[in-house]
Amino acid sequence: LKAFSRKKLFMGGKSAAANVITKTLDCGQATEMRDTLAKAVYSNMFQWLVDLLNVTINASPPPSNGSGSSGGGGSFTGGATTAGTASWGHIGVLDIYGYENLPCNGFEQLLINYANETLQRQFNRVVFEVEQLEYTREGVDWQYIEFRDNQPTIDLIENHPEGVLAGLDAFSGGVG
């Protein structure tokens, strides 16, 4: 608890001879400290999960020569193994409409894309679904407009208990 309510300033380095000043944080500063820790924990867990999934889908089968090795293939970089075995995929975060394609995506980018997908879903629902139902109801002569429904993407992120956010929450024990 002291880690969230106090801040230590070291004057003259971290040596035994350094002067240490302890400052008590107010409620807002302590809350910010807690939130920063929670964000770091979730970001690191998300990156660990993505890395684990990438290693898993890029893994080659274990050697069958009876060597007893439990590993499979070489080291993994950029979606291909150094042992020359084929990989079949890579997990990353990409906006389903393709607005961004970043070389390294983090938890924060997932949340940004999740918010964008939720807003896009609301727009699609109003503009395409609701308006087209209204046209049909009013007997307007029009041609149906096909659109990609991104609800499955949103469900993958937010559904309980199998969604990404619920999984991270369960894994962390509810940090934050």
Side-chain angles (χ1 to χ4, degrees), residues 92-96 99-102 105-120 150 153-154 157:
V93 179
L94 175 65
D95 187 299
I96 67 166
Y99 300 134
E100 299 173 84
N101 184 7
L102 304 175
N105 297 282
F107 183 63
E108 193 169 303
Q109 188 63 43
L110 173 73
L111 295 179
I112 291 167
N113 287 355
Y114 169 59
N116 289 340
E117 294 303 330
T118 303
L119 291 171
Q120 184 67 48
N150 65 348
T153 301
I154 295 168
I157 296 169

Side-chain angles (χ1 to χ4, degrees), residues 31-166:
T31 299
E32 186 176 332
M33 194 76 101
R34 178 208 61 200
D35 293 349
T36 300
L37 176 62
K39 179 182 173 188
V41 169
Y42 274 92
S43 292
N44 285 317
M45 281 191 322
F46 178 75
Q47 190 59 53
W48 170 82
L49 178 62
V50 169
D51 291 346
L52 180 66
L53 290 171
N54 282 329
V55 166
T56 301
I57 65 174
N58 283 309
S60 61
S64 59
N65 62 5
S67 67
S69 171
S70 61
S75 62
F76 302 99
T77 55
T81 68
T82 57
T85 59
S87 66
W88 59 269
H90 179 79
I91 300 291
V93 179
L94 175 65
D95 187 299
I96 67 166
Y97 289 99
Y99 300 134
E100 299 173 84
N101 184 7
L102 304 175
C104 180
N105 297 282
F107 183 63
E108 193 169 303
Q109 188 63 43
L110 173 73
L111 295 179
I112 291 167
N113 287 355
Y114 169 59
N116 289 340
E117 294 303 330
T118 303
L119 291 171
Q120 184 67 48
R121 173 67 180 125
Q122 180 64 22
F123 174 82
N124 288 350
R125 196 183 76 69
V126 170
V127 171
F128 294 116
E129 293 176 24
V130 174
E131 285 299 314
Q132 291 188 110
L133 285 172
E134 185 72 23
Y135 291 169
T136 300
R137 207 172 20 254
E138 292 178 1
V140 174
D141 186 23
W142 63 281
Q143 185 175 6
Y144 183 80
I145 300 170
E146 293 287 332
F147 66 96
R148 184 173 177 182
D149 187 0
N150 65 348
Q151 187 63 52
T153 301
I154 295 168
D155 292 343
L156 177 66
I157 296 169
E158 73 181 5
N159 275 2
H160 292 279
E162 65 276 346
V164 172
L165 295 177

Side-chain angles (χ1 to χ4, degrees), residues 1-7 22-27 29-31 33-34 37:
L1 190 56
K2 286 183 182 181
F4 293 111
S5 62
R6 294 193 176 106
K7 180 179 185 177
T22 302
K23 178 185 176 207
T24 302
L25 302 177
D26 64 30
C27 185
Q29 292 169 320
T31 299
M33 194 76 101
R34 178 208 61 200
L37 176 62

